[in-house]
Amino acid sequence: MGVFRRIYELLLEDKIITPGQIVVPDELPSTEMMQLVHTAEYVEAFTSGQLDDARVKRIGFGGDVTRSPVLINRTLAEVAGTLLTARLALRYKLACNTAGGTHHAFPDCGSGFCIINDMAITARVLLQEGLVERVLILDLDVHQGDGNALIFQEEPAVFTFSMHGEGNFPARKQNSDIDIPLPDGTSDDVYLRVLGEVLPSVLTCFKPDIVLYDAGVDTHMHDSLGKLNLTDKGLQRRELQVLDTCLAADIPVAGYVGGGYSPDLTTLARRHCQLHRAAKEMWENYSLGAPVD
Ligand SMILES: [Zn+2]
């Protein structure tokens, strides 16, 4: 979790952003917001620090951590940041979180280091408030976005697109609207070609009002858990390609860091910052900065 702080520091140290570009949520999500996705029982058990051992185990952080006020608060802050990022993307066309992308969380339990599903809650809040009519969840984390796939299985207003390693977690995949399972060892050119063949037509056919993009970097060749073979350059090309494709279609995009695993926090944080570097370049290319309305 220290990686999120390191991302924030590197964004400033490497001058990818200026302090004036940082926006912090001023409130945590309400219980009602979380219950747009999660059961009341799960929200209460988690936020009161009383989650049972079986569900703690499935999340993977351990009981003392999962039930600690620090992690509870951090989890809620992450949801707040993800929602704020989407609101900013609707206002400015492009915004990125320094965390987010907890795509394995299900309505009544967490899974794979994900507790509360920030992107699903964000999609439901935006729809409920009438800010959007259609949301695309574009999930390029190496692990399938099984939580979102299940949550939105019967929801025509949310399109789930997951491109992931077929031999990776979760063992039991759910059905997204589009799943693209990739074999172990997939390299930059193949990965980007497949993405380039599918994403533009999804944007054209579904016509989302916003794209919520999970830019997990566990697709990197040196990731501890990933099994794909993307290079640093390949990741950078991916972020530019995704953001450019959405913005060229005049569709707002909100970026989330997603998963990534390395014993070296700075190396890992730099991989995540590729998203923000690409966003900076697009911000300049598309002369963004003025509110859309
Ligand atoms: Zn992942």
Side-chain angles (χ1 to χ4, degrees):
M1 280 173 284
V3 72
F4 301 125
R5 156 82 30 191
R6 196 72 192 106
I7 290 170
Y8 168 82
E9 292 167 352
L10 282 178
L11 289 174
L12 291 168
E13 279 174 34
D14 293 352
K15 297 194 167 29
I16 300 167
I17 59 168
T18 63
Q21 288 178 297
I22 299 169
V23 186
V24 179
D26 53 15
E27 59 183 1
L28 296 178
S30 65
T31 301
E32 289 73 26
M33 280 183 185
M34 290 189 278
Q35 288 180 9
L36 291 172
V37 168
H38 297 283
T39 64
E41 183 274 332
Y42 180 54
V43 171
E44 169 62 22
F46 171 64
T47 57
S48 63
Q50 295 176 352
L51 202 59
D52 56 275
D53 288 345
R55 286 187 289 185
V56 162
K57 191 173 174 203
R58 189 167 177 188
I59 290 166
F61 288 131
D64 291 347
V65 173
T66 308
R67 299 184 187 109
S68 69
V70 170
L71 187 73
I72 294 167
N73 194 58
R74 192 201 70 86
T75 300
L76 300 186
E78 186 171 24
V79 175
T82 291
L83 177 58
L84 175 61
T85 303
R87 293 190 193 282
L88 290 169
L90 288 175
R91 185 148 195 238
Y92 294 103
K93 283 279 165 75
L94 175 61
C96 295
N97 197 351
T98 53
T102 45
H103 59 169
H104 296 308
F106 292 101
D108 60 354
C109 65
S111 173
F113 308 120
C114 300
I115 302 173
I116 299 290
N117 195 317
D118 60 335
M119 295 167 83
I121 291 171
T122 293
R124 285 253 160 91
V125 170
L126 297 182
L127 288 164
Q128 189 183 56
E129 292 183 357
L131 295 172
V132 299
E133 292 180 0
R134 286 176 301 281
V135 179
L136 169 64
I137 296 180
L138 172 60
D139 192 334
L140 299 186
D141 189 282
V142 84
H143 303 105
Q144 195 215 22
D146 54 347
N148 288 318
L150 181 90
I151 289 163
F152 296 116
Q153 214 159 34
E154 308 292 331
E155 171 62 77
V158 180
F159 192 101
T160 52
F161 174 166
S162 179
M163 190 160 99
H164 50 264
E166 68 179 346
N168 216 316
F169 178 92
R172 183 176 164 219
K173 310 282 195 288
Q174 301 291 331
N175 293 318
S176 311
D177 291 300
I178 289 184
D179 282 303
I180 304 179
L182 298 171
D184 292 355
T186 298
S187 60
D188 292 348
D189 288 348
V190 171
Y191 184 98
L192 296 170
R193 188 166 63 240
V194 172
L195 180 62
E197 283 167 358
V198 181
L199 179 58
S201 53
V202 170
L203 297 182
T204 303
C205 297
F206 182 64
K207 295 185 174 56
D209 299 308
I210 189 168
V211 175
L212 307 182
Y213 170 39
D214 183 329
V217 296
D218 38 17
T219 46
H220 191 273
M221 61 195 300
H222 294 139
D223 188 87
S224 306
L225 300 182
K227 298 174 182 173
L228 302 188
N229 207 24
L230 265 62
T231 63
D232 287 331
K233 186 72 187 166
L235 268 185
Q236 182 64 2
R237 286 169 61 197
R238 183 187 76 172
E239 312 312 14
L240 289 167
Q241 183 174 326
V242 167
L243 300 183
D244 205 5
T245 303
C246 295
L247 292 171
D250 203 24
I251 298 168
V253 54
Y256 303 106
V257 303
Y261 305 90
S262 168
D264 185 330
L265 273 193
T266 297
T267 299
L268 177 59
R270 281 229 154 77
R271 274 179 210 152
H272 285 303
C273 286
Q274 302 258 33
L275 169 68
H276 307 79
R277 277 187 192 282
K280 176 186 170 73
E281 190 171 331
M282 289 300 124
W283 189 264
E284 291 163 0
N285 288 356
Y286 283 86
S287 301
L288 302 179
V292 173
D293 293 316

